[in-house]
Amino acid sequence: MKRVQGIGVSGGIAIGPLVLLNQGGTGVRKETVEDVTAEFMRLDTARKETIRELDEIYRRSLKLVGDENSSIFQIHSMMLEDEDFLAEIREKIENERVNAEYAVWETGKLFSERFAQMDDSYMQARKTDVIDISSRLIRVLERKSEESPAPFAAPSVVCAEDLMPSDTIQMDTARVLAFVTREGSMTSHAAILARTLQIPSVAGLGSGFSELTDGVTAVVDGFSGEIFLEPDEALLAEYRVKRDACARERESLRSMAGQKAVTRSGRSIELNANIGHPGDVDGALENGADGIGLFRSEFLYMEGTSFPTEEQQLQAYKTVLEKMGNKRVIIRTLDLGADKQIPYWNLPKEANPALGCRAIRICLKHEKIFRTQLRALLRASIFGNLSVMFPMIISIDEVRAAKKIVEQVKTELRVQGLAYSEHVPFGIMVETPAAALVSDSLAKEVDFFSIGTNDLTQYTLAADRMNSSIAELYDPRHPAVLWLIEMTVRSAKQAGIEVGICGESAADTGLTAFYLKIGVDELSVAPSRIPEMKKAIRELDL
Ligand code: PEP
Ligand code: MG
């Protein structure tokens, strides 16, 4: 038995076989083949199998993120029927007498370059699709016949160097017992997603990751960050008991969902959910959320292979608003950057992306994208109780610039006769020390504050939230961070606007009393954390 230590980023216990995802991608070998017909047949069988798999992914994705965001898998499927693409692969196999894998890879690269050179931006964006679909086809070709068709045929612990939110969305999460990654940390977005999905997760394994072997049984402790490889019977028995206790605890907490978040001394607080997809709303409601405190809208942009259109966004926002009825829904405008990238938008590489052109900065520089989102948001506003907030604000100028665009968009909609609500509150995220320090002035410009402790901690302590090697320095309870929070809350109170917290430390029950005492009005946490938060709040006597 071996023990490997990482960072527990999503609580829970899992016991099962490890599956190591091959994320290498392009290591395609060139081989000479004698039997060209046999190679054609291999290609055709793999092609049909890939289409079948894509179909399955499409159906899974439909359930998770809805129609608009899933159509990409149908497009991929159609590409595998494209006669030009297939003819070119076959020609390569025949003329150069090479293996199908190599022919697919070379043809994929060629088509991708052709797409990149086209004038139409939609067609340009298809270049990543060709590479994606070629890699998928190669993976199927490389699979030996006795191997299972998907790495998750049986429930498994999924191990990867790193996981992007877009990787996770493509998995059949019902078969994922746990996530384990070499990289990542508590506030990386894959970890946030794991908590939303209630999947135990250990990140930041570092060199310990090389100890993991495909197929080996492991115990994953998402609380302590420990992983036990080939556990002995005694340890297995101990962890089975823990796992079952955990499931029972979760079940018993469910009864808290219907309760109000009110302390024993009678102080109540709005307890909201953080979501990334319209599909997460059900979990938020089941766990008893008072509303949505943070809808990370950028996930809509990360799942497809081109920008979501105004209509697609409108549908997504409308779905969330309608499902939430008259409960408040705070949607954050596009917050791209750092670990949230979109493959179809080739933004210049930056030396320090977390300090670079991200979030509101991107939106103000690329106004067309921002306007499309604002149009969709405003049009959706008639379907529920919408609030909108801007991320990564550092100055009043940014707020004024964003609000000016909002006003222009409203005028545009009015002229076009498109309905929207005039009463949408606009707020900002306070997640930079600069915003906290000038929060008294900012409070006069906006309708509410939502404190993003994930970034506030990172920028205050100069500690990269993604860097597992300095995880011990990244401390949301550091007095400097708490001081900035208190300062922000005071500014909000003086200006008479609402203030909430939507970073991960909103769910830190060790800080709940502090937040309540300084006057925080709202906490927004992963849906799965709501019942335990309610329990903790109801036991508090301020
Ligand atoms: C935050 O920074 O605290 C936050 C909620 O935003 P994100 O984690 O998406 O950066
Ligand atoms: Mg943030």
Side-chain angles (χ1 to χ4, degrees):
M1 181 170 82
K2 244 187 216 150
R3 180 183 159 280
V4 189
Q5 182 71 53
I7 309 164
V9 297
S10 177
I13 307 288
I15 303 170
L18 300 182
V19 158
L20 266 70
L21 293 191
N22 172 16
Q23 295 180 307
T26 58
V28 180
R29 274 208 316 272
K30 182 180 182 182
E31 285 165 15
T32 311
V33 295
E34 298 297 327
D35 190 346
V36 168
T37 320
E39 214 54 22
F40 282 171
M41 279 169 65
R42 280 187 68 227
L43 175 68
D44 200 48
T45 314
R47 190 181 66 86
K48 286 181 184 144
E49 176 59 19
T50 312
I51 291 175
R52 199 194 57 73
E53 285 184 22
L54 279 167
D55 198 43
E56 233 176 71
I57 295 176
Y58 170 69
R59 275 184 277 121
R60 269 205 313 269
S61 174
L62 258 187
K63 274 194 225 135
L64 277 173
V65 292
D67 198 13
E68 308 287 356
N69 295 306
S70 310
S71 58
I72 184 60
F73 300 114
Q74 285 183 311
I75 296 175
H76 281 190
S77 209
M78 268 148 54
M79 281 179 164
L80 286 174
E81 309 272 8
D82 182 85
E83 261 318 309
D84 290 342
F85 184 52
L86 296 173
E88 199 122 353
I89 299 173
R90 288 197 198 101
E91 235 174 82
K92 206 162 193 63
I93 295 176
E94 188 160 22
N95 296 346
E96 299 179 27
R97 306 225 147 228
V98 288
N99 53 327
E101 289 87 338
Y102 182 75
V104 170
W105 184 242
E106 287 298 305
T107 311
K109 275 199 304 191
L110 185 77
F111 271 65
S112 161
E113 280 156 23
R114 281 187 200 157
F115 277 121
Q117 280 158 13
M118 291 184 183
D119 290 336
D120 184 306
S121 63
Y122 176 82
M123 295 312 278
Q124 278 173 6
R126 300 279 76 80
K127 68 176 192 282
T128 36
D129 293 321
V130 188
I131 293 295
D132 195 345
I133 196 62
S134 305
S135 308
R136 190 178 286 280
L137 182 55
I138 292 167
R139 279 205 297 278
V140 177
L141 273 163
E142 282 175 340
R143 200 182 286 151
K144 295 181 197 73
S145 55
E146 67 273 17
E147 274 180 354
S148 68
F152 310 114
S156 309
V157 173
V158 176
C159 311
E161 293 284 328
D162 201 2
L163 280 172
M164 291 291 125
S166 52
D167 295 326
T168 347
I169 203 80
Q170 291 188 20
M171 285 178 205
D172 179 359
T173 44
R175 290 187 199 159
V176 178
L177 295 174
F179 288 120
V180 173
T181 54
R182 184 197 289 273
E183 310 293 336
S185 61
M186 194 67 180
T187 53
S188 61
H189 285 88
I192 290 173
L193 213 58
R195 285 195 289 278
T196 307
L197 297 166
Q198 300 192 37
I199 296 176
S201 199
V202 174
L205 236 58
S207 55
F209 189 82
S210 4
E211 302 284 344
L212 311 183
T213 319
D214 216 57
V216 157
T217 300
V219 167
V220 179
D221 185 333
F223 299 107
S224 68
E226 288 168 294
I227 296 170
F228 299 95
L229 304 168
E230 300 184 303
D232 55 34
E233 261 316 310
L235 192 103
L236 270 177
E238 181 190 331
Y239 269 90
R240 280 192 194 115
V241 172
K242 278 192 188 169
R243 184 186 57 187
D244 297 346
C246 209
R248 276 198 306 278
E249 163 90 357
R250 212 160 248 171
E251 205 40 53
S252 85
L253 275 173
R254 281 208 167 269
S255 63
M256 297 305 299
Q259 309 273 353
K260 284 253 154 284
V262 50
T263 65
R264 279 163 56 187
S265 37
R267 159 89 152 85
S268 61
I269 187 159
E270 188 178 335
L271 194 53
N272 289 339
N274 290 348
I275 62 165
H277 310 279
D280 297 337
V281 172
D282 299 334
L285 288 170
E286 276 161 26
N287 284 295
D290 292 323
I292 302 297
L294 167 65
F295 178 1
R296 290 181 163 94
S297 69
E298 56 276 5
F299 287 148
L300 297 176
Y301 292 70
M302 290 159 73
E303 287 151 14
T305 51
S306 57
F307 287 100
T309 61
E310 181 178 326
E311 291 304 318
Q312 287 169 336
Q313 291 188 57
L314 171 62
Q315 284 313 316
Y317 304 145
K318 181 175 171 227
T319 304
V320 175
L321 286 162
E322 283 184 340
K323 278 194 178 172
M324 293 304 293
N326 57 9
K327 294 183 157 86
R328 183 154 75 131
V329 175
I330 305 179
I331 303 186
R332 175 175 73 185
T333 57
L334 187 57
D335 181 13
L336 285 179
D339 64 333
K340 288 179 289 191
Q341 298 290 340
I342 46 179
Y344 51 85
W345 197 12
N346 281 332
L347 287 163
K349 287 262 170 297
E350 296 175 306
N352 296 300
L355 303 180
C357 188
R358 54 169 298 200
I360 192 69
R361 302 171 182 183
I362 292 195
C363 289
L364 293 177
K365 271 199 196 336
H366 300 267
E367 236 183 89
K368 192 162 170 278
I369 294 164
F370 192 35
R371 280 174 185 274
T372 305
Q373 179 168 40
L374 290 173
R375 282 177 62 93
L377 284 167
L378 283 165
R379 287 178 62 195
S381 64
I382 56 171
F383 298 103
N385 183 358
L386 173 70
S387 296
V388 174
M389 66 181 172
F390 306 121
M392 275 289 291
I393 293 292
I394 59 163
S395 70
I396 291 174
D397 287 349
E398 285 170 338
V399 177
R400 290 190 179 154
K403 278 174 41 181
K404 190 170 159 201
I405 299 173
V406 170
E407 288 313 311
Q408 289 166 353
V409 168
K410 282 184 181 174
T411 310
E412 219 172 83
L413 293 176
R414 262 197 310 275
V415 171
Q416 292 174 334
L418 294 166
Y420 68 89
S421 161
E422 276 293 355
H423 309 291
V424 179
F426 279 82
I428 57 165
M429 290 199 64
V430 176
E431 52 182 346
T432 62
L437 290 166
V438 296
S439 54
D440 54 344
S441 314
L442 288 168
K444 296 180 187 126
E445 300 281 329
V446 297
D447 299 317
F448 66 95
F449 282 161
S450 183
I451 303 174
T453 49
N454 303 337
D455 279 315
L456 187 62
T457 304
Q458 143 164 287
Y459 296 126
T460 305
L461 305 180
D464 182 353
R465 63 193 266 190
M466 301 287 295
N467 188 340
S468 49
S469 69
I470 49 152
E472 74 287 358
L473 297 181
Y474 181 92
D475 177 14
R477 293 184 179 190
H478 190 291
V481 179
L482 300 185
W483 179 235
L484 290 173
I485 294 174
E486 190 173 346
M487 185 181 252
T488 307
V489 174
R490 210 179 317 128
S491 300
K493 296 283 136 186
Q494 267 161 15
I497 63 168
E498 274 193 21
V499 56
I501 300 182
C502 65
E504 294 307 297
S505 79
D508 179 351
T509 47
L511 287 176
T512 312
F514 167 72
Y515 291 150
L516 286 167
K517 277 183 193 157
I518 61 173
V520 171
D521 303 298
E522 178 242 354
L523 293 173
S524 193
V525 302
S528 60
R529 306 294 302 274
I530 291 175
E532 64 183 271
M533 288 294 300
K534 285 196 173 176
K535 186 163 183 270
I537 291 166
R538 291 178 69 84
E539 281 166 5
L540 269 182
D541 189 343
L542 295 178

